[in-house]
PDB file of all heavy atoms in Angstrom:
ATOM      1  N   ALA A   1       0.852  -1.184  -0.020  1.00 95.00           N
ATOM      2  CA  ALA A   1      -0.003  -0.040   0.011  1.00 95.00           C
ATOM      3  C   ALA A   1       0.898   1.241  -0.039  1.00 95.00           C
ATOM      4  O   ALA A   1       2.138   1.131   0.011  1.00 95.00           O
ATOM      5  CB  ALA A   1      -0.924   0.015   1.223  1.00 95.00           C
ATOM      6  N   ALA A   2       0.273   2.402  -0.016  1.00 96.00           N
ATOM      7  CA  ALA A   2       1.010   3.660   0.092  1.00 96.00           C
ATOM      8  C   ALA A   2       1.622   3.777   1.468  1.00 96.00           C
ATOM      9  O   ALA A   2       2.686   4.317   1.618  1.00 96.00           O
ATOM     10  CB  ALA A   2       0.170   4.826  -0.282  1.00 96.00           C
ATOM     11  N   HIS A   3       0.856   3.334   2.490  1.00 96.00           N
ATOM     12  CA  HIS A   3       1.359   3.339   3.852  1.00 96.00           C
ATOM     13  C   HIS A   3       1.552   1.887   4.260  1.00 96.00           C
ATOM     14  O   HIS A   3       0.615   1.108   4.233  1.00 96.00           O
ATOM     15  CB  HIS A   3       0.334   4.017   4.782  1.00 96.00           C
ATOM     16  CG  HIS A   3       0.160   5.467   4.498  1.00 96.00           C
ATOM     17  ND1 HIS A   3       0.562   6.456   5.413  1.00 96.00           N
ATOM     18  CD2 HIS A   3      -0.411   6.141   3.491  1.00 96.00           C
ATOM     19  CE1 HIS A   3       0.266   7.632   4.923  1.00 96.00           C
ATOM     20  NE2 HIS A   3      -0.341   7.502   3.743  1.00 96.00           N
ATOM     21  N   ILE A   4       2.746   1.548   4.673  1.00 95.00           N
ATOM     22  CA  ILE A   4       3.061   0.153   4.985  1.00 95.00           C
ATOM     23  C   ILE A   4       3.777   0.103   6.357  1.00 95.00           C
ATOM     24  O   ILE A   4       4.293   1.076   6.841  1.00 95.00           O
ATOM     25  CB  ILE A   4       3.967  -0.486   3.930  1.00 95.00           C
ATOM     26  CG1 ILE A   4       5.294   0.307   3.684  1.00 95.00           C
ATOM     27  CG2 ILE A   4       3.196  -0.651   2.606  1.00 95.00           C
ATOM     28  CD1 ILE A   4       6.272  -0.325   2.813  1.00 95.00           C
ATOM     29  N   GLY A   5       3.754  -1.148   6.848  1.00 94.00           N
ATOM     30  CA  GLY A   5       4.591  -1.396   8.008  1.00 94.00           C
ATOM     31  C   GLY A   5       5.840  -2.190   7.563  1.00 94.00           C
ATOM     32  O   GLY A   5       5.771  -3.030   6.681  1.00 94.00           O
ATOM     33  N   THR A   6       6.955  -1.915   8.182  1.00 89.00           N
ATOM     34  CA  THR A   6       8.209  -2.607   7.941  1.00 89.00           C
ATOM     35  C   THR A   6       8.806  -3.067   9.292  1.00 89.00           C
ATOM     36  O   THR A   6       8.357  -2.644  10.336  1.00 89.00           O
ATOM     37  CB  THR A   6       9.250  -1.779   7.186  1.00 89.00           C
ATOM     38  OG1 THR A   6       9.848  -0.836   8.068  1.00 89.00           O
ATOM     39  CG2 THR A   6       8.568  -1.018   5.978  1.00 89.00           C
ATOM     40  N   THR A   7       9.820  -3.894   9.205  1.00 87.00           N
ATOM     41  CA  THR A   7      10.450  -4.275  10.479  1.00 87.00           C
ATOM     42  C   THR A   7      11.144  -3.108  11.118  1.00 87.00           C
ATOM     43  O   THR A   7      11.540  -3.201  12.254  1.00 87.00           O
ATOM     44  CB  THR A   7      11.480  -5.397  10.182  1.00 87.00           C
ATOM     45  OG1 THR A   7      12.327  -5.055   9.088  1.00 87.00           O
ATOM     46  CG2 THR A   7      10.771  -6.687   9.781  1.00 87.00           C
ATOM     47  N   ALA A   8      11.387  -2.011  10.357  1.00 83.00           N
ATOM     48  CA  ALA A   8      11.940  -0.822  10.883  1.00 83.00           C
ATOM     49  C   ALA A   8      10.892   0.212  11.385  1.00 83.00           C
ATOM     50  O   ALA A   8      11.266   1.259  11.854  1.00 83.00           O
ATOM     51  CB  ALA A   8      12.857  -0.154   9.846  1.00 83.00           C
ATOM     52  N   GLY A   9       9.623  -0.201  11.228  1.00 89.00           N
ATOM     53  CA  GLY A   9       8.545   0.725  11.648  1.00 89.00           C
ATOM     54  C   GLY A   9       7.632   1.064  10.524  1.00 89.00           C
ATOM     55  O   GLY A   9       7.807   0.559   9.374  1.00 89.00           O
ATOM     56  N   GLU A  10       6.666   1.940  10.741  1.00 94.00           N
ATOM     57  CA  GLU A  10       5.724   2.366   9.685  1.00 94.00           C
ATOM     58  C   GLU A  10       6.412   3.277   8.679  1.00 94.00           C
ATOM     59  O   GLU A  10       7.370   4.051   9.074  1.00 94.00           O
ATOM     60  CB  GLU A  10       4.541   3.059  10.310  1.00 94.00           C
ATOM     61  CG  GLU A  10       3.689   2.157  11.229  1.00 94.00           C
ATOM     62  CD  GLU A  10       2.438   2.885  11.737  1.00 94.00           C
ATOM     63  OE1 GLU A  10       2.271   4.097  11.432  1.00 94.00           O
ATOM     64  OE2 GLU A  10       1.645   2.208  12.457  1.00 94.00           O
ATOM     65  N   ALA A  11       5.977   3.193   7.441  1.00 95.00           N
ATOM     66  CA  ALA A  11       6.654   4.012   6.416  1.00 95.00           C
ATOM     67  C   ALA A  11       5.688   4.332   5.290  1.00 95.00           C
ATOM     68  O   ALA A  11       4.736   3.638   5.002  1.00 95.00           O
ATOM     69  CB  ALA A  11       7.829   3.248   5.819  1.00 95.00           C
ATOM     70  N   LEU A  12       5.989   5.469   4.675  1.00 97.00           N
ATOM     71  CA  LEU A  12       5.351   5.856   3.388  1.00 97.00           C
ATOM     72  C   LEU A  12       6.128   5.109   2.282  1.00 97.00           C
ATOM     73  O   LEU A  12       7.337   5.209   2.238  1.00 97.00           O
ATOM     74  CB  LEU A  12       5.430   7.334   3.163  1.00 97.00           C
ATOM     75  CG  LEU A  12       4.296   8.173   3.702  1.00 97.00           C
ATOM     76  CD1 LEU A  12       4.623   9.639   3.584  1.00 97.00           C
ATOM     77  CD2 LEU A  12       2.975   7.880   2.977  1.00 97.00           C
ATOM     78  N   ASN A  13       5.397   4.394   1.397  1.00 97.00           N
ATOM     79  CA  ASN A  13       6.026   3.595   0.394  1.00 97.00           C
ATOM     80  C   ASN A  13       6.133   4.360  -0.933  1.00 97.00           C
ATOM     81  O   ASN A  13       5.119   4.650  -1.583  1.00 97.00           O
ATOM     82  CB  ASN A  13       5.244   2.293   0.183  1.00 97.00           C
ATOM     83  CG  ASN A  13       5.932   1.349  -0.716  1.00 97.00           C
ATOM     84  OD1 ASN A  13       7.034   1.579  -1.174  1.00 97.00           O
ATOM     85  ND2 ASN A  13       5.348   0.136  -0.915  1.00 97.00           N
ATOM     86  N   PHE A  14       7.339   4.693  -1.377  1.00 97.00           N
ATOM     87  CA  PHE A  14       7.555   5.397  -2.597  1.00 97.00           C
ATOM     88  C   PHE A  14       8.450   4.593  -3.560  1.00 97.00           C
ATOM     89  O   PHE A  14       9.193   5.183  -4.356  1.00 97.00           O
ATOM     90  CB  PHE A  14       8.207   6.780  -2.368  1.00 97.00           C
ATOM     91  CG  PHE A  14       7.140   7.811  -1.996  1.00 97.00           C
ATOM     92  CD1 PHE A  14       6.812   8.016  -0.685  1.00 97.00           C
ATOM     93  CD2 PHE A  14       6.478   8.543  -2.953  1.00 97.00           C
ATOM     94  CE1 PHE A  14       5.853   8.920  -0.297  1.00 97.00           C
ATOM     95  CE2 PHE A  14       5.532   9.486  -2.631  1.00 97.00           C
ATOM     96  CZ  PHE A  14       5.212   9.693  -1.284  1.00 97.00           C
ATOM     97  N   CYS A  15       8.442   3.258  -3.464  1.00 94.00           N
ATOM     98  CA  CYS A  15       9.242   2.478  -4.394  1.00 94.00           C
ATOM     99  C   CYS A  15       8.564   1.211  -4.926  1.00 94.00           C
ATOM    100  O   CYS A  15       9.188   0.299  -5.425  1.00 94.00           O
ATOM    101  CB  CYS A  15      10.557   2.099  -3.731  1.00 94.00           C
ATOM    102  SG  CYS A  15      10.406   1.147  -2.222  1.00 94.00           S
ATOM    103  N   ALA A  16       7.219   1.192  -4.899  1.00 96.00           N
ATOM    104  CA  ALA A  16       6.501   0.098  -5.396  1.00 96.00           C
ATOM    105  C   ALA A  16       5.912   0.392  -6.826  1.00 96.00           C
ATOM    106  O   ALA A  16       5.812   1.625  -7.183  1.00 96.00           O
ATOM    107  CB  ALA A  16       5.356  -0.325  -4.499  1.00 96.00           C
ATOM    108  N   ASN A  17       5.584  -0.608  -7.590  1.00 97.00           N
ATOM    109  CA  ASN A  17       4.958  -0.389  -8.865  1.00 97.00           C
ATOM    110  C   ASN A  17       3.436  -0.297  -8.746  1.00 97.00           C
ATOM    111  O   ASN A  17       2.707  -0.613  -9.683  1.00 97.00           O
ATOM    112  CB  ASN A  17       5.352  -1.562  -9.804  1.00 97.00           C
ATOM    113  CG  ASN A  17       6.815  -1.655 -10.081  1.00 97.00           C
ATOM    114  OD1 ASN A  17       7.488  -0.675 -10.332  1.00 97.00           O
ATOM    115  ND2 ASN A  17       7.340  -2.873  -9.949  1.00 97.00           N
ATOM    116  N   ASN A  18       2.973   0.082  -7.612  1.00 98.00           N
ATOM    117  CA  ASN A  18       1.526   0.162  -7.300  1.00 98.00           C
ATOM    118  C   ASN A  18       0.957   1.482  -7.839  1.00 98.00           C
ATOM    119  O   ASN A  18       0.411   2.303  -7.099  1.00 98.00           O
ATOM    120  CB  ASN A  18       1.337   0.030  -5.799  1.00 98.00           C
ATOM    121  CG  ASN A  18      -0.112  -0.107  -5.379  1.00 98.00           C
ATOM    122  OD1 ASN A  18      -0.961  -0.483  -6.174  1.00 98.00           O
ATOM    123  ND2 ASN A  18      -0.380   0.236  -4.141  1.00 98.00           N
ATOM    124  N   TYR A  19       1.072   1.693  -9.157  1.00 98.00           N
ATOM    125  CA  TYR A  19       0.793   3.008  -9.769  1.00 98.00           C
ATOM    126  C   TYR A  19      -0.610   3.502  -9.502  1.00 98.00           C
ATOM    127  O   TYR A  19      -0.807   4.684  -9.223  1.00 98.00           O
ATOM    128  CB  TYR A  19       1.043   2.917 -11.250  1.00 98.00           C
ATOM    129  CG  TYR A  19       2.464   2.675 -11.641  1.00 98.00           C
ATOM    130  CD1 TYR A  19       2.907   1.500 -12.234  1.00 98.00           C
ATOM    131  CD2 TYR A  19       3.467   3.641 -11.379  1.00 98.00           C
ATOM    132  CE1 TYR A  19       4.215   1.307 -12.596  1.00 98.00           C
ATOM    133  CE2 TYR A  19       4.781   3.445 -11.746  1.00 98.00           C
ATOM    134  CZ  TYR A  19       5.199   2.269 -12.354  1.00 98.00           C
ATOM    135  OH  TYR A  19       6.468   2.063 -12.676  1.00 98.00           O
ATOM    136  N   LEU A  20      -1.592   2.651  -9.612  1.00 98.00           N
ATOM    137  CA  LEU A  20      -2.992   3.046  -9.438  1.00 98.00           C
ATOM    138  C   LEU A  20      -3.545   2.780  -8.050  1.00 98.00           C
ATOM    139  O   LEU A  20      -4.730   3.037  -7.799  1.00 98.00           O
ATOM    140  CB  LEU A  20      -3.821   2.376 -10.528  1.00 98.00           C
ATOM    141  CG  LEU A  20      -3.507   2.717 -11.960  1.00 98.00           C
ATOM    142  CD1 LEU A  20      -4.369   1.929 -12.931  1.00 98.00           C
ATOM    143  CD2 LEU A  20      -3.699   4.225 -12.217  1.00 98.00           C
ATOM    144  N   GLY A  21      -2.720   2.225  -7.191  1.00 98.00           N
ATOM    145  CA  GLY A  21      -3.170   1.923  -5.838  1.00 98.00           C
ATOM    146  C   GLY A  21      -4.107   0.710  -5.763  1.00 98.00           C
ATOM    147  O   GLY A  21      -4.809   0.563  -4.784  1.00 98.00           O
ATOM    148  N   PHE A  22      -4.019  -0.199  -6.715  1.00 98.00           N
ATOM    149  CA  PHE A  22      -4.930  -1.323  -6.775  1.00 98.00           C
ATOM    150  C   PHE A  22      -4.435  -2.532  -5.987  1.00 98.00           C
ATOM    151  O   PHE A  22      -5.210  -3.478  -5.783  1.00 98.00           O
ATOM    152  CB  PHE A  22      -5.154  -1.766  -8.251  1.00 98.00           C
ATOM    153  CG  PHE A  22      -5.962  -0.815  -9.069  1.00 98.00           C
ATOM    154  CD1 PHE A  22      -6.087  -1.002 -10.435  1.00 98.00           C
ATOM    155  CD2 PHE A  22      -6.601   0.271  -8.517  1.00 98.00           C
ATOM    156  CE1 PHE A  22      -6.818  -0.102 -11.212  1.00 98.00           C
ATOM    157  CE2 PHE A  22      -7.371   1.163  -9.239  1.00 98.00           C
ATOM    158  CZ  PHE A  22      -7.469   0.981 -10.624  1.00 98.00           C
ATOM    159  N   SER A  23      -3.215  -2.512  -5.515  1.00 97.00           N
ATOM    160  CA  SER A  23      -2.703  -3.672  -4.747  1.00 97.00           C
ATOM    161  C   SER A  23      -3.539  -4.032  -3.507  1.00 97.00           C
ATOM    162  O   SER A  23      -3.665  -5.176  -3.141  1.00 97.00           O
ATOM    163  CB  SER A  23      -1.218  -3.440  -4.357  1.00 97.00           C
ATOM    164  OG  SER A  23      -0.415  -3.417  -5.523  1.00 97.00           O
ATOM    165  N   ASP A  24      -4.103  -2.948  -2.911  1.00 96.00           N
ATOM    166  CA  ASP A  24      -4.897  -3.205  -1.762  1.00 96.00           C
ATOM    167  C   ASP A  24      -6.268  -2.533  -1.968  1.00 96.00           C
ATOM    168  O   ASP A  24      -6.969  -2.239  -0.977  1.00 96.00           O
ATOM    169  CB  ASP A  24      -4.284  -2.633  -0.448  1.00 96.00           C
ATOM    170  CG  ASP A  24      -4.132  -1.092  -0.476  1.00 96.00           C
ATOM    171  OD1 ASP A  24      -4.028  -0.526  -1.598  1.00 96.00           O
ATOM    172  OD2 ASP A  24      -4.089  -0.499   0.630  1.00 96.00           O
ATOM    173  N   HIS A  25      -6.736  -2.428  -3.213  1.00 97.00           N
ATOM    174  CA  HIS A  25      -8.025  -1.834  -3.468  1.00 97.00           C
ATOM    175  C   HIS A  25      -9.128  -2.803  -3.049  1.00 97.00           C
ATOM    176  O   HIS A  25      -9.075  -4.027  -3.314  1.00 97.00           O
ATOM    177  CB  HIS A  25      -8.193  -1.582  -5.024  1.00 97.00           C
ATOM    178  CG  HIS A  25      -9.304  -0.736  -5.337  1.00 97.00           C
ATOM    179  ND1 HIS A  25     -10.637  -1.161  -5.274  1.00 97.00           N
ATOM    180  CD2 HIS A  25      -9.428   0.555  -5.762  1.00 97.00           C
ATOM    181  CE1 HIS A  25     -11.466  -0.179  -5.639  1.00 97.00           C
ATOM    182  NE2 HIS A  25     -10.743   0.840  -5.939  1.00 97.00           N
ATOM    183  N   PRO A  26     -10.095  -2.329  -2.250  1.00 97.00           N
ATOM    184  CA  PRO A  26     -11.088  -3.244  -1.711  1.00 97.00           C
ATOM    185  C   PRO A  26     -11.851  -4.072  -2.756  1.00 97.00           C
ATOM    186  O   PRO A  26     -12.204  -5.262  -2.485  1.00 97.00           O
ATOM    187  CB  PRO A  26     -12.026  -2.348  -0.919  1.00 97.00           C
ATOM    188  CG  PRO A  26     -11.719  -0.948  -1.370  1.00 97.00           C
ATOM    189  CD  PRO A  26     -10.316  -0.988  -1.802  1.00 97.00           C
ATOM    190  N   GLU A  27     -12.123  -3.451  -3.894  1.00 98.00           N
ATOM    191  CA  GLU A  27     -12.866  -4.217  -4.914  1.00 98.00           C
ATOM    192  C   GLU A  27     -11.989  -5.314  -5.549  1.00 98.00           C
ATOM    193  O   GLU A  27     -12.504  -6.389  -5.894  1.00 98.00           O
ATOM    194  CB  GLU A  27     -13.395  -3.268  -5.969  1.00 98.00           C
ATOM    195  CG  GLU A  27     -14.524  -2.337  -5.499  1.00 98.00           C
ATOM    196  CD  GLU A  27     -15.078  -1.482  -6.625  1.00 98.00           C
ATOM    197  OE1 GLU A  27     -15.305  -2.042  -7.723  1.00 98.00           O
ATOM    198  OE2 GLU A  27     -15.275  -0.277  -6.403  1.00 98.00           O
ATOM    199  N   VAL A  28     -10.746  -5.045  -5.687  1.00 98.00           N
ATOM    200  CA  VAL A  28      -9.805  -6.034  -6.268  1.00 98.00           C
ATOM    201  C   VAL A  28      -9.666  -7.232  -5.271  1.00 98.00           C
ATOM    202  O   VAL A  28      -9.710  -8.387  -5.637  1.00 98.00           O
ATOM    203  CB  VAL A  28      -8.460  -5.399  -6.584  1.00 98.00           C
ATOM    204  CG1 VAL A  28      -7.429  -6.503  -7.022  1.00 98.00           C
ATOM    205  CG2 VAL A  28      -8.605  -4.367  -7.688  1.00 98.00           C
ATOM    206  N   ILE A  29      -9.508  -6.867  -4.005  1.00 98.00           N
ATOM    207  CA  ILE A  29      -9.378  -7.894  -2.963  1.00 98.00           C
ATOM    208  C   ILE A  29     -10.635  -8.723  -2.909  1.00 98.00           C
ATOM    209  O   ILE A  29     -10.616  -9.968  -2.826  1.00 98.00           O
ATOM    210  CB  ILE A  29      -9.037  -7.237  -1.623  1.00 98.00           C
ATOM    211  CG1 ILE A  29      -7.658  -6.601  -1.644  1.00 98.00           C
ATOM    212  CG2 ILE A  29      -9.165  -8.255  -0.493  1.00 98.00           C
ATOM    213  CD1 ILE A  29      -7.358  -5.773  -0.425  1.00 98.00           C
ATOM    214  N   ALA A  30     -11.811  -8.070  -2.912  1.00 98.00           N
ATOM    215  CA  ALA A  30     -13.089  -8.783  -2.820  1.00 98.00           C
ATOM    216  C   ALA A  30     -13.221  -9.739  -4.017  1.00 98.00           C
ATOM    217  O   ALA A  30     -13.719 -10.923  -3.871  1.00 98.00           O
ATOM    218  CB  ALA A  30     -14.246  -7.811  -2.803  1.00 98.00           C
ATOM    219  N   ALA A  31     -12.874  -9.293  -5.233  1.00 98.00           N
ATOM    220  CA  ALA A  31     -13.029 -10.185  -6.394  1.00 98.00           C
ATOM    221  C   ALA A  31     -12.100 -11.385  -6.285  1.00 98.00           C
ATOM    222  O   ALA A  31     -12.453 -12.509  -6.600  1.00 98.00           O
ATOM    223  CB  ALA A  31     -12.641  -9.379  -7.672  1.00 98.00           C
ATOM    224  N   SER A  32     -10.884 -11.173  -5.772  1.00 98.00           N
ATOM    225  CA  SER A  32      -9.944 -12.272  -5.615  1.00 98.00           C
ATOM    226  C   SER A  32     -10.434 -13.266  -4.504  1.00 98.00           C
ATOM    227  O   SER A  32     -10.352 -14.486  -4.703  1.00 98.00           O
ATOM    228  CB  SER A  32      -8.553 -11.714  -5.219  1.00 98.00           C
ATOM    229  OG  SER A  32      -7.620 -12.738  -5.160  1.00 98.00           O
ATOM    230  N   LYS A  33     -10.953 -12.772  -3.446  1.00 98.00           N
ATOM    231  CA  LYS A  33     -11.530 -13.585  -2.376  1.00 98.00           C
ATOM    232  C   LYS A  33     -12.658 -14.473  -2.889  1.00 98.00           C
ATOM    233  O   LYS A  33     -12.755 -15.653  -2.644  1.00 98.00           O
ATOM    234  CB  LYS A  33     -12.023 -12.756  -1.204  1.00 98.00           C
ATOM    235  CG  LYS A  33     -10.901 -12.250  -0.288  1.00 98.00           C
ATOM    236  CD  LYS A  33     -11.557 -11.482   0.865  1.00 98.00           C
ATOM    237  CE  LYS A  33     -10.482 -10.955   1.834  1.00 98.00           C
ATOM    238  NZ  LYS A  33     -11.148 -10.190   2.950  1.00 98.00           N
ATOM    239  N   ALA A  34     -13.569 -13.838  -3.657  1.00 98.00           N
ATOM    240  CA  ALA A  34     -14.673 -14.586  -4.172  1.00 98.00           C
ATOM    241  C   ALA A  34     -14.236 -15.671  -5.125  1.00 98.00           C
ATOM    242  O   ALA A  34     -14.812 -16.751  -5.155  1.00 98.00           O
ATOM    243  CB  ALA A  34     -15.614 -13.605  -4.903  1.00 98.00           C
ATOM    244  N   ALA A  35     -13.153 -15.415  -5.847  1.00 98.00           N
ATOM    245  CA  ALA A  35     -12.679 -16.413  -6.849  1.00 98.00           C
ATOM    246  C   ALA A  35     -12.133 -17.652  -6.105  1.00 98.00           C
ATOM    247  O   ALA A  35     -12.216 -18.746  -6.638  1.00 98.00           O
ATOM    248  CB  ALA A  35     -11.589 -15.808  -7.726  1.00 98.00           C
ATOM    249  N   LEU A  36     -11.649 -17.520  -4.906  1.00 97.00           N
ATOM    250  CA  LEU A  36     -11.177 -18.684  -4.154  1.00 97.00           C
ATOM    251  C   LEU A  36     -12.318 -19.677  -3.891  1.00 97.00           C
ATOM    252  O   LEU A  36     -12.168 -20.869  -4.027  1.00 97.00           O
ATOM    253  CB  LEU A  36     -10.564 -18.247  -2.830  1.00 97.00           C
ATOM    254  CG  LEU A  36      -9.259 -17.520  -2.883  1.00 97.00           C
ATOM    255  CD1 LEU A  36      -8.833 -17.033  -1.479  1.00 97.00           C
ATOM    256  CD2 LEU A  36      -8.150 -18.426  -3.421  1.00 97.00           C
ATOM    257  N   ASP A  37     -13.518 -19.113  -3.597  1.00 97.00           N
ATOM    258  CA  ASP A  37     -14.660 -19.989  -3.369  1.00 97.00           C
ATOM    259  C   ASP A  37     -15.239 -20.569  -4.706  1.00 97.00           C
ATOM    260  O   ASP A  37     -15.678 -21.735  -4.715  1.00 97.00           O
ATOM    261  CB  ASP A  37     -15.786 -19.191  -2.666  1.00 97.00           C
ATOM    262  CG  ASP A  37     -15.420 -18.885  -1.277  1.00 97.00           C
ATOM    263  OD1 ASP A  37     -14.659 -19.600  -0.611  1.00 97.00           O
ATOM    264  OD2 ASP A  37     -15.890 -17.814  -0.764  1.00 97.00           O
ATOM    265  N   ILE A  38     -15.200 -19.749  -5.757  1.00 97.00           N
ATOM    266  CA  ILE A  38     -15.737 -20.188  -6.988  1.00 97.00           C
ATOM    267  C   ILE A  38     -14.805 -21.084  -7.811  1.00 97.00           C
ATOM    268  O   ILE A  38     -15.229 -22.091  -8.392  1.00 97.00           O
ATOM    269  CB  ILE A  38     -16.181 -18.972  -7.839  1.00 97.00           C
ATOM    270  CG1 ILE A  38     -17.250 -18.123  -7.092  1.00 97.00           C
ATOM    271  CG2 ILE A  38     -16.706 -19.345  -9.204  1.00 97.00           C
ATOM    272  CD1 ILE A  38     -17.486 -16.750  -7.709  1.00 97.00           C
ATOM    273  N   TRP A  39     -13.539 -20.646  -7.899  1.00 98.00           N
ATOM    274  CA  TRP A  39     -12.596 -21.300  -8.820  1.00 98.00           C
ATOM    275  C   TRP A  39     -11.495 -22.088  -8.124  1.00 98.00           C
ATOM    276  O   TRP A  39     -10.748 -22.815  -8.812  1.00 98.00           O
ATOM    277  CB  TRP A  39     -11.935 -20.206  -9.705  1.00 98.00           C
ATOM    278  CG  TRP A  39     -12.931 -19.465 -10.552  1.00 98.00           C
ATOM    279  CD1 TRP A  39     -13.356 -18.185 -10.392  1.00 98.00           C
ATOM    280  CD2 TRP A  39     -13.532 -19.958 -11.736  1.00 98.00           C
ATOM    281  NE1 TRP A  39     -14.215 -17.858 -11.373  1.00 98.00           N
ATOM    282  CE2 TRP A  39     -14.381 -18.869 -12.264  1.00 98.00           C
ATOM    283  CE3 TRP A  39     -13.488 -21.132 -12.438  1.00 98.00           C
ATOM    284  CZ2 TRP A  39     -15.157 -19.009 -13.394  1.00 98.00           C
ATOM    285  CZ3 TRP A  39     -14.286 -21.244 -13.645  1.00 98.00           C
ATOM    286  CH2 TRP A  39     -15.088 -20.204 -14.082  1.00 98.00           C
ATOM    287  N   GLY A  40     -11.379 -21.967  -6.846  1.00 97.00           N
ATOM    288  CA  GLY A  40     -10.329 -22.703  -6.136  1.00 97.00           C
ATOM    289  C   GLY A  40      -9.058 -21.907  -5.976  1.00 97.00           C
ATOM    290  O   GLY A  40      -8.921 -20.791  -6.423  1.00 97.00           O
TER     291      GLY A  40
END
């Protein structure tokens, strides 16, 4: 995410390829969770 925890403490993340912020987007996560039940 943009705000992450690390072993050195909390940090603002400015080095990920998370351009659109979708890595932790609730709709993306929900779709992936639903797929576990439907598709395995």
Side-chain angles (χ1 to χ4, degrees):
H3 294 250
I4 56 174
T6 76
T7 52
E10 294 184 0
L12 272 171
N13 188 359
F14 278 90
C15 59
N17 298 313
N18 188 22
Y19 294 113
L20 297 175
F22 289 171
S23 292
D24 66 333
H25 193 289
E27 292 186 43
V28 175
I29 293 172
S32 185
K33 282 183 178 179
L36 290 173
D37 292 330
I38 298 170
W39 298 105

